[in-house]
Amino acid sequence: MAETQKSKEGLEGIIAASSSICSIEDGVLRYRGIDIHELAQHSTFLETVYLLWNGQLPKANELKAFEAEVNDHLMLAEPLIAAMKEFPKKANSMDVLRTVVSMMSFYDPDTGDESLEANKRKALRLLAQLPFAVTAWEHIRNQRDPIFPKKGLGISANFLYMLRGKEPTDLELRTFDQALVLHADHEFNASTFAARVTAATLTDMYSAITTAVGTLKGPLHGGANQKVMETLLAIGETSNVEPWLKEAFARKERIMGFGHRVYKDGDPRAKELRKMSAALSQELQDSKWYDMSLKLEGLVQEQKGLLPNVDFYSASTYYMLKIPFDLYTPIFAVSRISGWTAHVLEQLSNNRLIRPRADYTGVKSASYIPMSQRS
Ligand SMILES: CC(C)(COP(=O)(O)OP(=O)(O)OC[C@H]1O[C@@H](n2cnc3c(N)ncnc32)[C@H](O)[C@@H]1OP(=O)(O)O)[C@@H](O)C(=O)NCCC(=O)NCCS
């Protein structure tokens, strides 16, 4: 396929709409103009969500009020928990999340109201309740009762608390919260763009977010973080990295967690996650997964010129946080819900149906052939 044709197939480099939420320029990722490195170092997830939704950082009283609002909406509707208990225990965790998000519309008091204020309330409920949906599924599929959120803990500490039944250490909390900051938005990535396409038909918030969750699941997008951990576990030992990679390249396999459509000189989020993975392995005094990742990174770069993306070091980071690896992609959604909803609201604020054209390459013109004359 010619280079131009290949680019066209994936809408590569196409500016699909204007947006003031997130930018990627010269390899620098910014939310509302603020460099992701600054946010990762100084901000918190909830403050970052406020920034994405409102366009500016909150003042102290605004953040407090926002945290209180989130804390008031942490629980899923009771019938939804009952419904989850009926799901097949082996169901894929992203399929479960997609179904729960879709079902949330049945129980949202604002369903049917498409006003801006109602949509903001729906966004808040989605943000607040996804952590419970993800962690509740971990317990339900293991025949346990879900652990309910603690009111004052907010999103990140509650996620780890509800998952593991004990509150996280400071380093665990800071690491997880930073990971959510790093995943919160990313311009017109596939799931966000899908959400905007859906929202632009003037359907509803839950339909748009259901679309987004389904899109995130794919291994070329958010599903890569789980695949990275499967790769590391398959490799098993740092000494196996080189022969494993040789065979993977011989099989022409894609190495999960490497490469990016937009960043060609490295994904800035990977740099932050690499530091987080290193800090955790130091704290645990077990650097196996970090060392293995580092070795794989070096060899893939040397042999293919590919650099790690956001999913590469999030895998070892989450593994060291003792999170089951099929929850890594749902965690991506727990964070990216902030960006998805910001983009849906932005799309609706200046909406036009998104309806591109295709470059038709089929038969130019053909006549209908009656069945009896077809050979
Ligand atoms: C992210 C990704 C889909 C971007 O893809 P893209 O911009 O469409 O680039 P292409 O798929 O056209 O790849 C360009 C070339 O690099 C190669 N390549 C890209 N990523 C690769 C990877 N992870 N492993 C091996 N080869 C890779 C492709 O095989 C292709 O080679 P070719 O031109 O010889 O066929 C791609 O890099 C990928 O599949 N990565 C692995 C999955 C992943 O980590 N996804 C999370 C993204 S944040």
Side-chain angles (χ1 to χ4, degrees), residues 65 86 115 128 130 152 193 315 329:
E86 302 302 319
S115 66
L130 256 49
F193 187 60
T329 314

Side-chain angles (χ1 to χ4, degrees), residues 241-242 245-246 249 296-306:
V241 172
E242 201 159 359
L245 189 64
K246 201 171 163 202
F249 281 150
L296 187 57
E297 177 186 358
L299 289 173
V300 172
Q301 184 175 0
E302 192 184 294
Q303 296 177 19
K304 283 274 174 182
L306 288 166

